[in-house]
Amino acid sequence: MQKNLYERLGGYDSISAVVDDFLQRQFIDKQVGRFYVGHSTNSKKRLRQLITEMICEITGGSAKYVGRYMRTAHTGLGITGGDWEVTVKNLTASLDKFKVPQKEKDELLADVAGLRPVIVEL
């Protein structure tokens, strides 16, 4: 029996480690860091939890995303296609840092790409 993507990514702890690294890249990025200005430490921890749960859920894990709908959470932020591309680049860099195999990386990025239409406004 073949493992699902969640299992092949290493489960919750591995996904959490990637999300931690990804968010640090986002927070300091010159282009997309503006979306995190003013977030408290607690808000950033909550964001980490939500992103981890979302990735776990879309990859077949048992964690359930309990945040707002993606469109609701991102409407009004003015996220552009360029912002999206930077975010994907940062996620890819984090996946590469943890040496996620190409097949799993491609599958995850394809899953995440499905969110683009409800996140990008401009």
Side-chain angles (χ1 to χ4, degrees), residues 1 38 70 73:
M1 186 171 156
M70 288 290 112

Side-chain angles (χ1 to χ4, degrees), residues 78-93:
I79 297 172
T80 67
D83 297 329
W84 176 264
E85 294 306 319
V86 167
T87 298
V88 170
K89 180 181 140 215
N90 287 336
L91 178 56
T92 301

